[in-house]
Amino acid sequence: YAEGDRGNPGPDGHHFYMERSFNAYWEPPYSKVSIQYPHADWIVNQANDNIFNITLGGYDLSKPTFETIKVQYKRPYHSDWLNAFEVDREYLESYPHYVVYSWDLSSLSDGPYEIRAGTTDSVMPDYYTAPVLGFVDRIPPELLMPPEPQNGILSHGGVISASFNEYIDSNSIDPLDFSLIYVQTGIEIDISVTCFENMIYILPNIANYWLEN
């Protein structure tokens, strides 16, 4: 309303102001980035063949000062971040929404690692994501000792089991990978396979009578 109209109701049907609602948000002058994959507790094992695919998104190519995306890594108990790889703006022009980049881990030793992504801007300080913790584990579990029973006699209350030097992922156990065979006839006996911590147990699904001798 005009300054001179304040407090003046004016003629009927005459309005001195109108209300409008709107939303406001702060848009940073630099481009951010996000790690879309992997998620927390990621793991790289033998199946990855030393290649770790990382999906990056959330970057904004409309920012004129945006230059590169970089992925860094470090051990959880170290303070210095090391560059894993960088993706420049020119390459990202072909992938405006997200990009999948393959990181070769052959030079890294096994163990826990944190990764983070960052953007480099020609004007603003670098932006970084929160760290994502995971594990590189390319050495398979090894037997600690010969499977039980070590003396070859399965006594009452005994179990058929194998212990390993690290915990076993129970989801990785496939009962079809195990067999219990009656050697005199070559018949395969029905079994159940269970896993707890670093132990794998094989349980015959027949009465003890049929296991004698």
Side-chain angles (χ1 to χ4, degrees):
Y1 51 79
E3 183 68 23
D5 289 333
R6 288 188 179 182
N8 182 4
D12 293 341
H14 185 69
H15 301 284
F16 295 104
Y17 71 93
M18 291 186 296
E19 293 183 356
R20 293 289 185 268
S21 62
F22 59 92
N23 295 322
Y25 65 94
W26 177 74
E27 181 178 350
Y30 55 87
S31 173
K32 294 185 176 182
V33 65
S34 63
I35 299 177
Q36 298 182 351
Y37 182 85
H39 307 296
D41 299 324
W42 54 266
I43 187 168
V44 174
N45 54 30
Q46 284 185 328
N48 297 93
D49 197 24
N50 281 324
I51 299 299
F52 190 19
N53 292 323
I54 297 179
T55 304
L56 304 169
Y59 44 85
D60 187 354
L61 296 176
S62 68
K63 305 296 184 184
T65 56
F66 170 50
E67 294 183 339
T68 62
I69 291 175
K70 53 190 172 184
V71 171
Q72 298 181 325
Y73 69 96
K74 73 177 185 69
R75 293 284 200 172
Y77 40 83
H78 289 174
S79 58
D80 295 334
W81 288 91
L82 304 174
N83 282 348
F85 59 85
E86 289 192 18
V87 186
D88 60 30
R89 181 191 183 98
E90 183 179 358
Y91 182 85
L92 293 171
E93 294 288 351
S94 300
Y95 305 94
H97 304 296
Y98 70 93
V99 64
V100 180
Y101 203 89
S102 298
W103 178 22
D104 186 353
L105 302 180
S106 56
S107 62
L108 296 185
S109 58
D110 284 11
Y113 287 91
E114 291 178 324
I115 62 172
R116 71 178 184 179
T119 54
T120 301
D121 190 281
S122 61
V123 177
M124 304 296 295
D126 292 353
Y127 165 84
Y128 291 102
T129 64
V132 182
L133 178 63
F135 209 88
V136 178
D137 184 13
R138 293 160 295 193
I139 301 176
E142 298 178 353
L143 283 169
L144 284 176
M145 60 188 70
E148 296 286 350
Q150 294 186 34
N151 61 2
I153 299 175
L154 183 63
S155 58
H156 180 71
V159 294
I160 304 172
S161 65
S163 58
F164 295 83
N165 63 343
E166 59 182 282
Y167 280 18
I168 306 297
D169 180 7
S170 59
N171 295 323
S172 69
I173 300 300
D174 186 353
L176 297 179
D177 290 334
F178 301 84
S179 61
L180 185 63
I181 298 174
Y182 186 45
V183 294
Q184 292 186 7
T185 63
I187 297 176
E188 186 171 335
I189 298 172
D190 182 39
I191 59 172
S192 296
V193 180
T194 60
C195 173
F196 179 71
E197 294 184 348
N198 68 324
M199 301 288 294
I200 294 178
Y201 300 93
I202 298 177
L203 309 174
N205 290 329
I206 58 176
N208 289 337
Y209 171 83
W210 299 107
L211 289 176
E212 290 298 315
N213 302 315

